[in-house]
């Protein structure tokens, strides 16, 4: 079983999602399905069909999260990381055309709905690892092209609202 990395904030979000689905959303949806089923003909009952589908989606997500919890390893910030890019860092880059890019390096389960989060598995994140401010990184683009960026800032934010 492969170990996947996750930040403490990411772990807490996944735990909260799991609890919400299991303790709140699933029981409510189950009640609606039972009520709609009691009305009779299920083939033309939109409440039954929609909520039965939603129940399957909830169960699938809960099973996925439970499986992930066994594989995930929380990586907390350590002061020795300061000055270099490691997991959990916010990184700012600039290229020759003065385009800037800022992102946080996180685990693959944390990037969804977070436009400024990049998976540790992404080529740009891999290129930044263990680098310092002022270092140049080269990222291979699709095809034969590549892009060069300079690291302008590395930051480790300690609050949970990152």
């Amino acid at each position: 079983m492969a170990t996947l990395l996750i930040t403490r904030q990411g772990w807490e979000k996944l735990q909260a999602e799991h609890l919400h689905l299991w303790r709140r959303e699933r029981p409510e949806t189950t009640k609606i399905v039972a009520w709609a089923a009691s009305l009779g003909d299920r083939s033309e009952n939109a409440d039954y069909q929609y909520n039965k589908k939603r129940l399957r989606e909830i169960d699938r997500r809960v099973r996925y999260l439970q499986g992930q919890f066994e594989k995930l390893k929380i990586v907390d910030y350590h002061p020795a990381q300061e000055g270099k890019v490691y997991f959990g860092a916010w990184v700012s880059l600039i290229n020759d055309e003065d385009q800037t890019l800022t992102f946080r390096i996180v685990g693959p389960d944390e990037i969804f709905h977070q436009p400024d989060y990049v998976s540790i598995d992404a080529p740009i994140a891999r290129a930044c690892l263990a680098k310092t401010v002022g270092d140049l990184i080269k990222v291979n683009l699709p095809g034969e092209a590549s892009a060069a960026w300079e690291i302008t800032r590395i930051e480790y934010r300690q609050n949970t609202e990152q």
Side-chain angles (χ1 to χ4, degrees):
M1 174 177 7
T3 300
L4 300 171
L5 303 180
I6 192 166
T7 63
R8 174 118 1 233
Q9 296 84 13
W11 174 267
E12 290 168 359
K13 280 184 178 181
L14 290 182
Q15 286 280 10
E17 178 186 1
H18 181 265
L19 287 174
H20 172 77
L21 289 171
W22 189 250
R23 291 189 178 163
R24 183 160 192 181
E25 205 166 325
R26 190 177 194 289
E28 289 173 10
T29 306
T30 302
K31 285 179 189 175
I32 295 170
V33 168
W35 166 80
S38 72
L39 298 177
D41 186 8
R42 297 176 188 171
S43 64
E44 294 185 16
N45 186 329
D47 281 329
Y48 177 82
Q49 290 180 1
Y50 171 80
N51 286 290
K52 189 71 173 172
K53 179 182 178 223
R54 180 67 188 133
L55 192 56
R56 286 191 302 270
E57 292 167 354
I58 292 168
D59 288 345
R60 186 172 31 255
R61 183 67 178 164
V62 165
R63 279 191 309 275
Y64 173 79
L65 290 172
Q66 288 171 337
Q68 289 302 93
F69 291 143
E70 296 172 14
K71 300 176 196 171
L72 292 170
K73 178 184 179 202
I74 299 171
V75 177
D76 287 317
Y77 166 80
H78 190 277
Q81 292 175 242
E82 282 300 323
K84 287 196 174 192
V85 177
Y86 291 109
F87 188 82
W90 282 92
V91 183
S92 294
L93 307 174
I94 191 166
N95 67 10
D96 291 339
E97 291 139 18
D98 286 334
Q99 294 173 319
T100 60
L101 183 61
T102 299
F103 55 88
R104 184 176 189 207
I105 300 174
V106 296
D109 280 311
E110 299 178 79
I111 62 173
F112 301 102
H113 309 296
Q114 298 288 343
D116 52 353
Y117 280 19
V118 173
S119 171
I120 184 109
D121 300 323
I124 196 161
R126 290 279 180 203
C128 290
L129 291 178
K131 301 287 194 285
T132 61
V133 171
D135 285 350
L136 293 177
I137 63 162
K138 188 175 178 182
V139 180
N140 293 326
L141 303 173
E144 295 184 28
S146 65
W149 296 84
E150 178 184 349
I151 298 175
T152 59
R153 192 183 89 215
I154 302 165
E155 183 179 6
Y156 292 92
R157 300 178 190 165
Q158 296 306 304
N159 63 7
T160 57
E161 295 299 317
Q162 298 192 26

